[in-house]
PDB file of all heavy atoms in Angstrom:
ATOM      1  N   VAL X  71       0.862  -1.156   0.006  1.00 98.00           N
ATOM      2  CA  VAL X  71       0.004  -0.006   0.033  1.00 98.00           C
ATOM      3  C   VAL X  71       0.876   1.213  -0.006  1.00 98.00           C
ATOM      4  O   VAL X  71       1.701   1.417   0.960  1.00 98.00           O
ATOM      5  CB  VAL X  71      -0.926   0.009   1.225  1.00 98.00           C
ATOM      6  CG1 VAL X  71      -1.782   1.316   1.235  1.00 98.00           C
ATOM      7  CG2 VAL X  71      -1.817  -1.204   1.257  1.00 98.00           C
ATOM      8  N   PRO X  72       0.835   2.085  -0.999  1.00 97.00           N
ATOM      9  CA  PRO X  72       1.679   3.273  -1.029  1.00 97.00           C
ATOM     10  C   PRO X  72       1.125   4.290   0.005  1.00 97.00           C
ATOM     11  O   PRO X  72      -0.025   4.482   0.179  1.00 97.00           O
ATOM     12  CB  PRO X  72       1.535   3.801  -2.454  1.00 97.00           C
ATOM     13  CG  PRO X  72       0.167   3.370  -2.882  1.00 97.00           C
ATOM     14  CD  PRO X  72      -0.031   2.031  -2.199  1.00 97.00           C
ATOM     15  N   SER X  73       2.111   4.957   0.611  1.00 97.00           N
ATOM     16  CA  SER X  73       1.750   6.166   1.403  1.00 97.00           C
ATOM     17  C   SER X  73       2.387   7.404   0.719  1.00 97.00           C
ATOM     18  O   SER X  73       2.717   7.312  -0.490  1.00 97.00           O
ATOM     19  CB  SER X  73       2.233   6.050   2.846  1.00 97.00           C
ATOM     20  OG  SER X  73       1.686   7.096   3.659  1.00 97.00           O
ATOM     21  N   THR X  74       2.562   8.492   1.413  1.00 94.00           N
ATOM     22  CA  THR X  74       2.805   9.749   0.729  1.00 94.00           C
ATOM     23  C   THR X  74       3.463  10.802   1.647  1.00 94.00           C
ATOM     24  O   THR X  74       3.380  10.643   2.889  1.00 94.00           O
ATOM     25  CB  THR X  74       1.454  10.306   0.218  1.00 94.00           C
ATOM     26  OG1 THR X  74       1.607  11.654  -0.211  1.00 94.00           O
ATOM     27  CG2 THR X  74       0.416  10.291   1.319  1.00 94.00           C
ATOM     28  N   ILE X  75       4.046  11.793   1.027  1.00 94.00           N
ATOM     29  CA  ILE X  75       4.459  12.971   1.792  1.00 94.00           C
ATOM     30  C   ILE X  75       3.284  13.608   2.533  1.00 94.00           C
ATOM     31  O   ILE X  75       3.438  14.267   3.596  1.00 94.00           O
ATOM     32  CB  ILE X  75       5.192  14.009   0.960  1.00 94.00           C
ATOM     33  CG1 ILE X  75       4.330  14.426  -0.248  1.00 94.00           C
ATOM     34  CG2 ILE X  75       6.503  13.508   0.498  1.00 94.00           C
ATOM     35  CD1 ILE X  75       4.936  15.545  -1.068  1.00 94.00           C
ATOM     36  N   GLY X  76       2.062  13.387   1.985  1.00 92.00           N
ATOM     37  CA  GLY X  76       0.899  13.973   2.573  1.00 92.00           C
ATOM     38  C   GLY X  76       0.520  13.348   3.911  1.00 92.00           C
ATOM     39  O   GLY X  76      -0.450  13.814   4.576  1.00 92.00           O
ATOM     40  N   ALA X  77       1.195  12.286   4.321  1.00 96.00           N
ATOM     41  CA  ALA X  77       0.910  11.670   5.617  1.00 96.00           C
ATOM     42  C   ALA X  77       1.491  12.482   6.783  1.00 96.00           C
ATOM     43  O   ALA X  77       1.225  12.138   7.935  1.00 96.00           O
ATOM     44  CB  ALA X  77       1.481  10.209   5.651  1.00 96.00           C
ATOM     45  N   PHE X  78       2.178  13.547   6.445  1.00 96.00           N
ATOM     46  CA  PHE X  78       2.743  14.449   7.515  1.00 96.00           C
ATOM     47  C   PHE X  78       1.955  15.726   7.538  1.00 96.00           C
ATOM     48  O   PHE X  78       1.200  16.035   6.599  1.00 96.00           O
ATOM     49  CB  PHE X  78       4.231  14.662   7.239  1.00 96.00           C
ATOM     50  CG  PHE X  78       5.062  13.427   7.320  1.00 96.00           C
ATOM     51  CD1 PHE X  78       5.403  12.738   6.136  1.00 96.00           C
ATOM     52  CD2 PHE X  78       5.502  12.914   8.504  1.00 96.00           C
ATOM     53  CE1 PHE X  78       6.114  11.580   6.191  1.00 96.00           C
ATOM     54  CE2 PHE X  78       6.242  11.758   8.593  1.00 96.00           C
ATOM     55  CZ  PHE X  78       6.579  11.093   7.416  1.00 96.00           C
ATOM     56  N   GLY X  79       2.128  16.475   8.573  1.00 93.00           N
ATOM     57  CA  GLY X  79       1.397  17.713   8.743  1.00 93.00           C
ATOM     58  C   GLY X  79       2.279  18.873   9.213  1.00 93.00           C
ATOM     59  O   GLY X  79       3.498  18.712   9.286  1.00 93.00           O
ATOM     60  N   PRO X  80       1.701  20.016   9.495  1.00 92.00           N
ATOM     61  CA  PRO X  80       2.485  21.188   9.849  1.00 92.00           C
ATOM     62  C   PRO X  80       3.276  21.075  11.132  1.00 92.00           C
ATOM     63  O   PRO X  80       4.259  21.876  11.314  1.00 92.00           O
ATOM     64  CB  PRO X  80       1.394  22.294   9.948  1.00 92.00           C
ATOM     65  CG  PRO X  80       0.104  21.566  10.215  1.00 92.00           C
ATOM     66  CD  PRO X  80       0.240  20.287   9.493  1.00 92.00           C
ATOM     67  N   THR X  81       2.932  20.135  12.013  1.00 96.00           N
ATOM     68  CA  THR X  81       3.727  19.954  13.207  1.00 96.00           C
ATOM     69  C   THR X  81       4.830  18.902  13.081  1.00 96.00           C
ATOM     70  O   THR X  81       5.595  18.651  14.042  1.00 96.00           O
ATOM     71  CB  THR X  81       2.789  19.568  14.427  1.00 96.00           C
ATOM     72  OG1 THR X  81       2.048  18.430  14.012  1.00 96.00           O
ATOM     73  CG2 THR X  81       1.846  20.703  14.729  1.00 96.00           C
ATOM     74  N   SER X  82       4.935  18.271  11.907  1.00 96.00           N
ATOM     75  CA  SER X  82       5.984  17.324  11.636  1.00 96.00           C
ATOM     76  C   SER X  82       7.274  18.058  11.336  1.00 96.00           C
ATOM     77  O   SER X  82       7.274  19.131  10.721  1.00 96.00           O
ATOM     78  CB  SER X  82       5.647  16.423  10.447  1.00 96.00           C
ATOM     79  OG  SER X  82       4.397  15.780  10.588  1.00 96.00           O
ATOM     80  N   PRO X  83       8.427  17.477  11.698  1.00 97.00           N
ATOM     81  CA  PRO X  83       9.700  18.095  11.222  1.00 97.00           C
ATOM     82  C   PRO X  83       9.766  18.025   9.706  1.00 97.00           C
ATOM     83  O   PRO X  83       9.448  16.975   9.124  1.00 97.00           O
ATOM     84  CB  PRO X  83      10.772  17.195  11.864  1.00 97.00           C
ATOM     85  CG  PRO X  83      10.073  15.933  12.254  1.00 97.00           C
ATOM     86  CD  PRO X  83       8.642  16.293  12.508  1.00 97.00           C
ATOM     87  N   ARG X  84      10.177  19.120   9.078  1.00 96.00           N
ATOM     88  CA  ARG X  84      10.028  19.235   7.612  1.00 96.00           C
ATOM     89  C   ARG X  84      11.332  19.104   6.881  1.00 96.00           C
ATOM     90  O   ARG X  84      11.359  18.835   5.675  1.00 96.00           O
ATOM     91  CB  ARG X  84       9.385  20.554   7.228  1.00 96.00           C
ATOM     92  CG  ARG X  84       7.963  20.730   7.779  1.00 96.00           C
ATOM     93  CD  ARG X  84       7.353  22.022   7.204  1.00 96.00           C
ATOM     94  NE  ARG X  84       7.163  21.926   5.768  1.00 96.00           N
ATOM     95  CZ  ARG X  84       7.250  22.947   4.952  1.00 96.00           C
ATOM     96  NH1 ARG X  84       7.536  24.185   5.395  1.00 96.00           N
ATOM     97  NH2 ARG X  84       7.072  22.806   3.638  1.00 96.00           N
ATOM     98  N   ASN X  85      12.488  19.304   7.563  1.00 96.00           N
ATOM     99  CA  ASN X  85      13.720  19.383   6.808  1.00 96.00           C
ATOM    100  C   ASN X  85      14.923  18.914   7.648  1.00 96.00           C
ATOM    101  O   ASN X  85      15.579  19.714   8.249  1.00 96.00           O
ATOM    102  CB  ASN X  85      13.956  20.798   6.286  1.00 96.00           C
ATOM    103  CG  ASN X  85      15.103  20.894   5.287  1.00 96.00           C
ATOM    104  OD1 ASN X  85      15.489  19.905   4.677  1.00 96.00           O
ATOM    105  ND2 ASN X  85      15.636  22.099   5.104  1.00 96.00           N
ATOM    106  N   PRO X  86      15.157  17.559   7.649  1.00 97.00           N
ATOM    107  CA  PRO X  86      14.425  16.521   6.934  1.00 97.00           C
ATOM    108  C   PRO X  86      13.310  15.928   7.817  1.00 97.00           C
ATOM    109  O   PRO X  86      13.221  16.177   8.999  1.00 97.00           O
ATOM    110  CB  PRO X  86      15.480  15.476   6.686  1.00 97.00           C
ATOM    111  CG  PRO X  86      16.351  15.589   7.886  1.00 97.00           C
ATOM    112  CD  PRO X  86      16.376  17.020   8.296  1.00 97.00           C
ATOM    113  N   THR X  87      12.464  15.102   7.138  1.00 98.00           N
ATOM    114  CA  THR X  87      11.412  14.391   7.818  1.00 98.00           C
ATOM    115  C   THR X  87      11.830  12.935   7.974  1.00 98.00           C
ATOM    116  O   THR X  87      11.965  12.250   7.004  1.00 98.00           O
ATOM    117  CB  THR X  87      10.088  14.470   7.003  1.00 98.00           C
ATOM    118  OG1 THR X  87       9.735  15.834   6.817  1.00 98.00           O
ATOM    119  CG2 THR X  87       8.984  13.730   7.730  1.00 98.00           C
ATOM    120  N   PRO X  88      11.949  12.434   9.214  1.00 98.00           N
ATOM    121  CA  PRO X  88      12.354  11.010   9.435  1.00 98.00           C
ATOM    122  C   PRO X  88      11.197  10.073   9.245  1.00 98.00           C
ATOM    123  O   PRO X  88      10.061  10.453   9.135  1.00 98.00           O
ATOM    124  CB  PRO X  88      12.839  11.066  10.846  1.00 98.00           C
ATOM    125  CG  PRO X  88      12.058  12.137  11.529  1.00 98.00           C
ATOM    126  CD  PRO X  88      11.774  13.202  10.491  1.00 98.00           C
ATOM    127  N   ASP X  89      11.526   8.792   9.296  1.00 98.00           N
ATOM    128  CA  ASP X  89      10.484   7.740   9.142  1.00 98.00           C
ATOM    129  C   ASP X  89       9.464   7.838  10.286  1.00 98.00           C
ATOM    130  O   ASP X  89       8.262   7.714  10.125  1.00 98.00           O
ATOM    131  CB  ASP X  89      11.126   6.391   9.119  1.00 98.00           C
ATOM    132  CG  ASP X  89      11.735   6.036   7.788  1.00 98.00           C
ATOM    133  OD1 ASP X  89      11.017   6.137   6.791  1.00 98.00           O
ATOM    134  OD2 ASP X  89      12.902   5.704   7.744  1.00 98.00           O
ATOM    135  N   LEU X  90       9.994   8.041  11.505  1.00 98.00           N
ATOM    136  CA  LEU X  90       9.134   8.007  12.722  1.00 98.00           C
ATOM    137  C   LEU X  90       9.191   9.410  13.342  1.00 98.00           C
ATOM    138  O   LEU X  90      10.228   9.891  13.807  1.00 98.00           O
ATOM    139  CB  LEU X  90       9.627   6.973  13.726  1.00 98.00           C
ATOM    140  CG  LEU X  90       9.644   5.539  13.207  1.00 98.00           C
ATOM    141  CD1 LEU X  90      10.217   4.627  14.260  1.00 98.00           C
ATOM    142  CD2 LEU X  90       8.222   5.056  12.856  1.00 98.00           C
ATOM    143  N   CYS X  91       8.015  10.030  13.359  1.00 97.00           N
ATOM    144  CA  CYS X  91       7.865  11.366  13.963  1.00 97.00           C
ATOM    145  C   CYS X  91       6.412  11.681  14.075  1.00 97.00           C
ATOM    146  O   CYS X  91       5.557  10.831  13.690  1.00 97.00           O
ATOM    147  CB  CYS X  91       8.586  12.471  13.159  1.00 97.00           C
ATOM    148  SG  CYS X  91       7.874  12.694  11.499  1.00 97.00           S
ATOM    149  N   ILE X  92       6.032  12.801  14.633  1.00 97.00           N
ATOM    150  CA  ILE X  92       4.645  13.155  14.781  1.00 97.00           C
ATOM    151  C   ILE X  92       4.041  13.315  13.373  1.00 97.00           C
ATOM    152  O   ILE X  92       4.650  13.877  12.467  1.00 97.00           O
ATOM    153  CB  ILE X  92       4.511  14.453  15.568  1.00 97.00           C
ATOM    154  CG1 ILE X  92       3.003  14.706  15.891  1.00 97.00           C
ATOM    155  CG2 ILE X  92       5.126  15.637  14.871  1.00 97.00           C
ATOM    156  CD1 ILE X  92       2.772  15.814  16.919  1.00 97.00           C
ATOM    157  N   GLN X  93       2.796  12.815  13.219  1.00 97.00           N
ATOM    158  CA  GLN X  93       2.080  12.913  11.938  1.00 97.00           C
ATOM    159  C   GLN X  93       0.679  13.420  12.259  1.00 97.00           C
ATOM    160  O   GLN X  93      -0.146  12.718  12.859  1.00 97.00           O
ATOM    161  CB  GLN X  93       1.961  11.537  11.265  1.00 97.00           C
ATOM    162  CG  GLN X  93       3.290  11.025  10.772  1.00 97.00           C
ATOM    163  CD  GLN X  93       3.176   9.603  10.217  1.00 97.00           C
ATOM    164  OE1 GLN X  93       3.532   8.630  10.872  1.00 97.00           O
ATOM    165  NE2 GLN X  93       2.693   9.483   8.981  1.00 97.00           N
ATOM    166  N   ARG X  94       0.388  14.644  11.840  1.00 95.00           N
ATOM    167  CA  ARG X  94      -0.941  15.234  12.005  1.00 95.00           C
ATOM    168  C   ARG X  94      -1.347  15.925  10.711  1.00 95.00           C
ATOM    169  O   ARG X  94      -1.399  17.174  10.663  1.00 95.00           O
ATOM    170  CB  ARG X  94      -0.961  16.234  13.182  1.00 95.00           C
ATOM    171  CG  ARG X  94      -0.827  15.576  14.535  1.00 95.00           C
ATOM    172  CD  ARG X  94      -2.066  14.761  14.866  1.00 95.00           C
ATOM    173  NE  ARG X  94      -1.982  14.201  16.219  1.00 95.00           N
ATOM    174  CZ  ARG X  94      -1.418  13.035  16.572  1.00 95.00           C
ATOM    175  NH1 ARG X  94      -0.796  12.319  15.622  1.00 95.00           N
ATOM    176  NH2 ARG X  94      -1.420  12.591  17.785  1.00 95.00           N
ATOM    177  N   PRO X  95      -1.623  15.170   9.649  1.00 94.00           N
ATOM    178  CA  PRO X  95      -1.985  15.776   8.353  1.00 94.00           C
ATOM    179  C   PRO X  95      -3.281  16.536   8.410  1.00 94.00           C
ATOM    180  O   PRO X  95      -4.141  16.274   9.269  1.00 94.00           O
ATOM    181  CB  PRO X  95      -2.065  14.567   7.429  1.00 94.00           C
ATOM    182  CG  PRO X  95      -2.378  13.406   8.307  1.00 94.00           C
ATOM    183  CD  PRO X  95      -1.649  13.672   9.596  1.00 94.00           C
ATOM    184  N   ARG X  96      -3.419  17.498   7.504  1.00 90.00           N
ATOM    185  CA  ARG X  96      -4.619  18.340   7.456  1.00 90.00           C
ATOM    186  C   ARG X  96      -5.489  18.081   6.260  1.00 90.00           C
ATOM    187  O   ARG X  96      -6.332  18.884   5.916  1.00 90.00           O
ATOM    188  CB  ARG X  96      -4.157  19.800   7.474  1.00 90.00           C
ATOM    189  CG  ARG X  96      -3.404  20.217   8.778  1.00 90.00           C
ATOM    190  CD  ARG X  96      -4.319  20.500   9.911  1.00 90.00           C
ATOM    191  NE  ARG X  96      -3.579  20.863  11.098  1.00 90.00           N
ATOM    192  CZ  ARG X  96      -3.190  22.086  11.412  1.00 90.00           C
ATOM    193  NH1 ARG X  96      -3.382  23.101  10.538  1.00 90.00           N
ATOM    194  NH2 ARG X  96      -2.558  22.344  12.545  1.00 90.00           N
ATOM    195  N   THR X  97      -5.286  16.989   5.544  1.00 90.00           N
ATOM    196  CA  THR X  97      -6.153  16.596   4.430  1.00 90.00           C
ATOM    197  C   THR X  97      -6.708  15.203   4.670  1.00 90.00           C
ATOM    198  O   THR X  97      -6.114  14.384   5.402  1.00 90.00           O
ATOM    199  CB  THR X  97      -5.373  16.625   3.074  1.00 90.00           C
ATOM    200  OG1 THR X  97      -4.422  15.548   3.123  1.00 90.00           O
ATOM    201  CG2 THR X  97      -4.684  17.958   2.853  1.00 90.00           C
ATOM    202  N   ILE X  98      -7.851  14.907   4.059  1.00 94.00           N
ATOM    203  CA  ILE X  98      -8.450  13.607   4.161  1.00 94.00           C
ATOM    204  C   ILE X  98      -7.527  12.566   3.532  1.00 94.00           C
ATOM    205  O   ILE X  98      -7.431  11.401   3.977  1.00 94.00           O
ATOM    206  CB  ILE X  98      -9.877  13.536   3.573  1.00 94.00           C
ATOM    207  CG1 ILE X  98     -10.517  12.149   3.817  1.00 94.00           C
ATOM    208  CG2 ILE X  98      -9.856  13.835   2.100  1.00 94.00           C
ATOM    209  CD1 ILE X  98     -10.718  11.815   5.289  1.00 94.00           C
ATOM    210  N   TYR X  99      -6.830  12.973   2.469  1.00 93.00           N
ATOM    211  CA  TYR X  99      -5.846  12.035   1.836  1.00 93.00           C
ATOM    212  C   TYR X  99      -4.763  11.687   2.822  1.00 93.00           C
ATOM    213  O   TYR X  99      -4.413  10.500   2.993  1.00 93.00           O
ATOM    214  CB  TYR X  99      -5.255  12.746   0.603  1.00 93.00           C
ATOM    215  CG  TYR X  99      -4.217  11.966  -0.120  1.00 93.00           C
ATOM    216  CD1 TYR X  99      -4.435  10.692  -0.607  1.00 93.00           C
ATOM    217  CD2 TYR X  99      -2.961  12.568  -0.343  1.00 93.00           C
ATOM    218  CE1 TYR X  99      -3.466   9.978  -1.279  1.00 93.00           C
ATOM    219  CE2 TYR X  99      -1.954  11.829  -1.029  1.00 93.00           C
ATOM    220  CZ  TYR X  99      -2.220  10.571  -1.486  1.00 93.00           C
ATOM    221  OH  TYR X  99      -1.268   9.887  -2.168  1.00 93.00           O
ATOM    222  N   GLY X 100      -4.175  12.683   3.488  1.00 94.00           N
ATOM    223  CA  GLY X 100      -3.120  12.402   4.449  1.00 94.00           C
ATOM    224  C   GLY X 100      -3.625  11.636   5.630  1.00 94.00           C
ATOM    225  O   GLY X 100      -2.920  10.679   6.065  1.00 94.00           O
ATOM    226  N   VAL X 101      -4.773  11.946   6.152  1.00 96.00           N
ATOM    227  CA  VAL X 101      -5.328  11.211   7.280  1.00 96.00           C
ATOM    228  C   VAL X 101      -5.563   9.763   6.931  1.00 96.00           C
ATOM    229  O   VAL X 101      -5.223   8.841   7.688  1.00 96.00           O
ATOM    230  CB  VAL X 101      -6.655  11.878   7.744  1.00 96.00           C
ATOM    231  CG1 VAL X 101      -7.421  10.996   8.750  1.00 96.00           C
ATOM    232  CG2 VAL X 101      -6.396  13.264   8.374  1.00 96.00           C
ATOM    233  N   SER X 102      -6.074   9.516   5.754  1.00 97.00           N
ATOM    234  CA  SER X 102      -6.326   8.171   5.308  1.00 97.00           C
ATOM    235  C   SER X 102      -5.042   7.336   5.116  1.00 97.00           C
ATOM    236  O   SER X 102      -5.016   6.134   5.343  1.00 97.00           O
ATOM    237  CB  SER X 102      -7.158   8.123   4.010  1.00 97.00           C
ATOM    238  OG  SER X 102      -6.383   8.616   2.890  1.00 97.00           O
ATOM    239  N   LYS X 103      -3.969   8.037   4.699  1.00 97.00           N
ATOM    240  CA  LYS X 103      -2.680   7.317   4.533  1.00 97.00           C
ATOM    241  C   LYS X 103      -2.028   7.028   5.881  1.00 97.00           C
ATOM    242  O   LYS X 103      -1.400   5.958   6.038  1.00 97.00           O
ATOM    243  CB  LYS X 103      -1.763   8.143   3.648  1.00 97.00           C
ATOM    244  CG  LYS X 103      -2.161   8.122   2.185  1.00 97.00           C
ATOM    245  CD  LYS X 103      -2.168   6.717   1.620  1.00 97.00           C
ATOM    246  CE  LYS X 103      -2.513   6.635   0.154  1.00 97.00           C
ATOM    247  NZ  LYS X 103      -2.557   5.291  -0.365  1.00 97.00           N
ATOM    248  N   VAL X 104      -2.117   7.892   6.869  1.00 98.00           N
ATOM    249  CA  VAL X 104      -1.634   7.572   8.179  1.00 98.00           C
ATOM    250  C   VAL X 104      -2.409   6.393   8.707  1.00 98.00           C
ATOM    251  O   VAL X 104      -1.863   5.452   9.314  1.00 98.00           O
ATOM    252  CB  VAL X 104      -1.763   8.772   9.164  1.00 98.00           C
ATOM    253  CG1 VAL X 104      -1.408   8.402  10.588  1.00 98.00           C
ATOM    254  CG2 VAL X 104      -0.867   9.947   8.694  1.00 98.00           C
ATOM    255  N   HIS X 105      -3.729   6.375   8.503  1.00 98.00           N
ATOM    256  CA  HIS X 105      -4.590   5.268   8.912  1.00 98.00           C
ATOM    257  C   HIS X 105      -4.103   4.000   8.231  1.00 98.00           C
ATOM    258  O   HIS X 105      -4.040   2.946   8.902  1.00 98.00           O
ATOM    259  CB  HIS X 105      -6.012   5.586   8.514  1.00 98.00           C
ATOM    260  CG  HIS X 105      -6.982   4.483   8.831  1.00 98.00           C
ATOM    261  ND1 HIS X 105      -7.414   4.203  10.112  1.00 98.00           N
ATOM    262  CD2 HIS X 105      -7.632   3.579   8.005  1.00 98.00           C
ATOM    263  CE1 HIS X 105      -8.295   3.205  10.089  1.00 98.00           C
ATOM    264  NE2 HIS X 105      -8.410   2.819   8.819  1.00 98.00           N
ATOM    265  N   ALA X 106      -3.792   4.046   6.953  1.00 98.00           N
ATOM    266  CA  ALA X 106      -3.295   2.880   6.244  1.00 98.00           C
ATOM    267  C   ALA X 106      -2.008   2.351   6.791  1.00 98.00           C
ATOM    268  O   ALA X 106      -1.781   1.139   7.005  1.00 98.00           O
ATOM    269  CB  ALA X 106      -3.134   3.189   4.743  1.00 98.00           C
ATOM    270  N   GLU X 107      -1.056   3.281   7.093  1.00 98.00           N
ATOM    271  CA  GLU X 107       0.214   2.824   7.697  1.00 98.00           C
ATOM    272  C   GLU X 107       0.009   2.123   9.011  1.00 98.00           C
ATOM    273  O   GLU X 107       0.628   1.068   9.244  1.00 98.00           O
ATOM    274  CB  GLU X 107       1.093   4.047   7.916  1.00 98.00           C
ATOM    275  CG  GLU X 107       1.551   4.768   6.674  1.00 98.00           C
ATOM    276  CD  GLU X 107       2.340   6.073   6.943  1.00 98.00           C
ATOM    277  OE1 GLU X 107       2.729   6.237   8.129  1.00 98.00           O
ATOM    278  OE2 GLU X 107       2.555   6.865   6.037  1.00 98.00           O
TER     279      GLU X 107
END
């Protein structure tokens, strides 16, 4: 199942973004991908 850069949100570290960190996306696409992960 592919996920996406959209699985991260404004409170995630952005530069760089590690595999494991806070994920609070602001789109239904991102939310659904965090759910999938």
Side-chain angles (χ1 to χ4, degrees):
V71 178
S73 190
T74 168
I75 54 175
F78 298 95
T81 54
S82 305
R84 298 186 65 212
N85 191 18
T87 302
D89 283 305
L90 299 176
C91 65
I92 189 169
Q93 293 175 258
R94 289 294 184 273
R96 297 280 179 85
T97 67
I98 186 61
Y99 177 57
V101 170
S102 69
K103 286 302 183 180
V104 174
H105 178 74
E107 295 175 12

